[in-house]
C-alpha cells in the first residue's frame, strides 16, 4: 500500500521490500555488498513509499555528505561567476550540494575559508588559490583523504587536479595578430603582484621561456610568457616599460598604472593587451581619461568577453574564456575523485577563442618630419 502521509522510514522500506533494515540501508546508500536484484526491490519499495533518505544519518554511516566546497577568488568577478554556475550545474545533476566561500584573492582569507569548509564536512573542495606556491593548507587538507581540484591556477608545489585556461597561447596569438598589422610597440597590462615572479619570467631567454611550465605561474605571469614568446618568435626586443604592472587585482591599480604609460607621447604604445577582465576595464578607463581614440590612436584587446566590451563604441576585441565549461570540468573531476578515481593528477587545459571587433586596426603612420 502506498504511503500517503508522513515521512517513510528505512524500516518501512525494508519491510516493503522483504529485506533487513541493514540491507535496505546499504542498497539505498550505495555502500557495501548488495545483490542487483535485491537493490532493485529496495529502490522500488522506496519509490512506492516516497521515501527520502536522512542525509545526516547516511553521512554518519558512509562518511560522505554529498556536498562540495568552493573557495572562489572573487564572486563579484563575472569570470568566477561563470565558473560557479558551471560547478553548481554539475553538482545538481550529480546530486551534490555546494558551499561557496570568497577569498578576495587573499591568502589568509583562503586558509580561513578552507577551515570553515572542512568543519562543514564537505567531501572535496575546488579552489582558485590566491598564491599558487603557498598551498600547504590545501596539501594538509587533501591528506585527510578528501580531494582538492584547483581552478584557474595550478601549483608547482602541489600535485593535484587542476583546470586552467591556456592564456599564454591566447596572448601569444593576439600578439602575432598585432605584429602582422604592423604594431611594434604593444603594451600588456596585468596585476603581476609578485615582483619576484615577474623578475624571474623576464630574466629568461627564448629557450627558457619555451621550456617553462607556465601553468605553475599566476595567470597574469603565465600570460606574460605568451607575450614574451611572441616577441622572441618574431625577433623583437621587449621594452620593459610596456609591461604595465598594476601590482594589485583592482580596477584602480590597472587604471593608475596604465595612465602612467599612456602619458608619455614619445613612449606610448600603439596597441594594448590585458590579462583579465579587471585589468581590461581599468586599462580602458585610463584610455578614455587620456582622450585617446580607439583604434585610430591605440588598438585595444581585452581578456574576457564581458557585456560592456560589446556595448562601448567602438566594441572591444577580446580573448574569450570558457568559464562555464571550466567550472563544469572542475566539478566533474572532483566528484570522480570523491567517487574513488585513483588515477594520476591531471591538468585540464581549456582553450580560449579570439573575438575581433572594431578596436583593432593597423597603427597610425608616423608623422612626416617638416
Amino acid at each position: 500500500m502506498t504511503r500517503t502521509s508522513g515521512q517513510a522510514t528505512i524500516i518501512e522500506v525494508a519491510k516493503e521490500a522483504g529485506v533487513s533494515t541493514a540491507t535496505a540501508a546499504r542498497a539505498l546508500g550505495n555502500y557495501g555488498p548488495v545483490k542487483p536484484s535485491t537493490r532493485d526491490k529496495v529502490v522500488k519499495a522506496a519509490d512506492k513509499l516516497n521515501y527520502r533518505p536522512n542525509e545526516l544519518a547516511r553521512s554518519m554511516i558512509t562518511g560522505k555528505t554529498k556536498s562540495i566546497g568552493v573557495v572562489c577568488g572573487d564572486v563579484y568577478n563575472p569570470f568566477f561567476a561563470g565558473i560557479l554556475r558551471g560547478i553548481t550545474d554539475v553538482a545538481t545533476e550529480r546530486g551534490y550540494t555546494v558551499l561557496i566561500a570568497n577569498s578576495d584573492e587573499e591568502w589568509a582569507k583562503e586558509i580561513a575559508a578552507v577551515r570553515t569548509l572542512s568543519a562543514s564536512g564537505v567531501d572535496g573542495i575546488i579552489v582558485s588559490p590566491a598564491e599558487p606556491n603557498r598551498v600547504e593548507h590545501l596539501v594538509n587538507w587533501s591528506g585527510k583523504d578528501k580531494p582538492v581540484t584547483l581552478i584557474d591556477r595550478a601549483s608547482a608545489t602541489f600535485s593535484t587536479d587542476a583546470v586552467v585556461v591556456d592564456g599564454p597561447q591566447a596572448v601569444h596569438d593576439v600578439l602575432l595578430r598585432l605584429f602582422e598589422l604592423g604594431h611594434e610597440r604593444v603594451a600588456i597590462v596585468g596585476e603581476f603582484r609578485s615582483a619576484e615572479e615577474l623578475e624571474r619570467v623576464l630574466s629568461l631567454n627564448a629557450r627558457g621561456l619555451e621550456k617553462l611550465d607556465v601553468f605553475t605561474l599566476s595567470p597574469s605571469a603565465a600570460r606574460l610568457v605568451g607575450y614574451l614568446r611572441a616577441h622572441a618568435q618574431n625577433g623583437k626586443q621587449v621594452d620593459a616599460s610596456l609591461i604595465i604592472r598594476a601590482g594589485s587585482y583592482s580596477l584602480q591599480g590597472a587604471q593608475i598604472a596604465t595612465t602612467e604609460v599612456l602619458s608619455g607621447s614619445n613612449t606610448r604604445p600603439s596597441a594594448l593587451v590585458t590579462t583579465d577582465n579587471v585589468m581590461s576595464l581599468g586599462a580602458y578607463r585610463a584610455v578614455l581619461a587620456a582622450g585617446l581614440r580607439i583604434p585610430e590612436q591605440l588598438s585595444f584587446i581585452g581578456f574576457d568577453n564581458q557585456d560592456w566590451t560589446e556595448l562601448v563604441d567602438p566594441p572591444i576585441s577580446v580573448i574569450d574564456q570558457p568559464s562555464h565549461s571550466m567550472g563544469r570540468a572542475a566539478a566533474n573531476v572532483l566528484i570522480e575523485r570523491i567517487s574513488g578515481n585513483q588515477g594520476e593528477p591531471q591538468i585540464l587545459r581549456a582553450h580560449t577563442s579570439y573575438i575581433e571587433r572594431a578596436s583593432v586596426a593597423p597603427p597610425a603612420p608616423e608623422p612626416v618630419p617638416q
Side-chain angles (χ1 to χ4, degrees):
M1 183 174 180
T2 304
R3 186 183 181 93
T4 58
S5 63
Q7 175 66 54
T9 67
I10 192 67
I11 296 173
E12 291 172 313
V13 172
K15 185 177 180 180
E16 178 72 25
V19 299
S20 69
T21 302
T23 298
R26 289 198 301 274
L28 294 175
N30 290 317
Y31 65 92
V34 180
K35 292 192 296 187
S37 59
T38 301
R39 189 184 305 278
D40 288 344
K41 286 197 302 183
V42 173
V43 170
K44 288 178 181 177
D47 289 342
K48 180 179 179 181
L49 297 176
N50 196 29
Y51 171 76
R52 295 292 179 268
N54 183 319
E55 296 295 343
L56 177 59
R58 184 166 69 176
S59 70
M60 293 175 67
I61 296 170
T62 65
K64 305 290 186 183
T65 62
K66 296 285 284 187
S67 64
I68 60 176
V70 182
V71 182
C72 181
D74 181 5
V75 295
Y76 189 70
N77 186 321
F79 170 66
F80 285 115
I83 284 176
L84 289 173
R85 181 56 191 264
I87 292 171
T88 55
D89 284 351
V90 167
T92 300
E93 293 166 8
R94 303 189 65 167
Y96 280 75
T97 57
V98 181
L99 302 181
I100 299 170
N102 189 65
S103 71
D104 288 325
E105 298 284 4
E106 294 182 17
W107 184 66
K109 288 185 178 180
E110 178 181 304
I111 292 176
V114 170
R115 286 175 180 164
T116 299
L117 292 173
S118 178
S120 300
V122 294
D123 298 329
I125 55 176
I126 298 171
V127 183
S128 57
E131 298 187 32
N133 293 322
R134 297 180 70 191
V135 290
E136 297 85 357
H137 55 296
L138 300 180
V139 175
N140 293 337
W141 199 86
S142 68
K144 301 173 184 177
D145 295 325
K146 292 191 175 183
V148 177
T149 296
L150 304 182
I151 192 159
D152 192 40
R153 309 105 195 240
S155 173
T157 59
F158 184 21
S159 180
T160 192
D161 297 315
V163 178
V164 298
V165 70
D166 199 347
Q169 188 64 48
V171 171
H172 170 274
D173 292 347
V174 298
L175 259 290
L176 294 187
R177 167 66 176 150
L178 292 169
F179 290 157
E180 288 171 359
L181 289 172
H183 290 277
E184 295 290 335
R185 295 183 56 75
V186 181
I188 183 169
V189 184
E191 59 266 31
F192 308 127
R193 282 178 291 178
S194 170
E196 293 77 14
E197 182 181 56
L198 179 60
E199 290 172 7
R200 179 165 68 90
V201 169
L202 291 176
S203 70
L204 296 172
N205 58 24
R207 185 176 180 182
L209 289 170
E210 287 302 322
K211 294 174 62 178
L212 182 63
D213 184 358
V214 293
F215 296 106
T216 62
L217 300 172
S218 65
S220 61
R223 292 160 196 178
L224 175 63
V225 170
Y227 173 92
L228 298 174
R229 285 175 176 172
H231 278 78
Q233 180 179 327
N234 282 262
K236 297 182 182 296
Q237 291 293 319
V238 174
D239 184 343
S241 70
L242 297 179
I243 298 172
I244 303 175
R245 182 182 178 221
S248 64
Y249 192 66
S250 69
L251 293 174
Q252 184 180 28
Q255 182 173 353
I256 291 172
T258 305
T259 297
E260 292 177 358
V261 172
L262 296 181
S263 62
S265 60
N266 294 329
T267 59
R268 196 167 62 206
S270 64
L272 183 148
V273 176
T274 66
T275 61
D276 61 55
N277 62 72
V278 174
M279 298 297 105
S280 297
L281 186 52
Y284 184 76
R285 288 178 175 177
V287 174
L288 292 183
L292 296 176
R293 297 188 309 278
I294 298 175
E296 293 86 356
Q297 293 176 293
L298 181 75
S299 286
F300 192 108
I301 300 177
F303 212 106
D304 275 343
N305 187 26
Q306 302 302 308
D307 289 343
W308 70 267
T309 61
E310 292 187 84
L311 300 175
V312 296
D313 184 23
I316 301 299
S317 302
V318 293
I319 296 167
D320 187 22
Q321 296 190 89
S323 58
H324 183 264
S325 62
M326 289 173 67
R328 289 190 63 90
N332 276 315
V333 167
L334 183 69
I335 292 172
E336 288 302 312
R337 291 295 185 191
I338 293 169
S339 301
N341 181 0
Q342 299 295 320
E344 289 296 315
Q346 55 184 324
I347 295 181
L348 302 179
R349 303 179 184 183
H351 295 288
T352 62
S353 57
Y354 174 51
I355 303 173
E356 185 163 305
R357 300 186 178 121
S359 66
V360 174
E366 294 290 333
V368 178
Q370 300 296 321

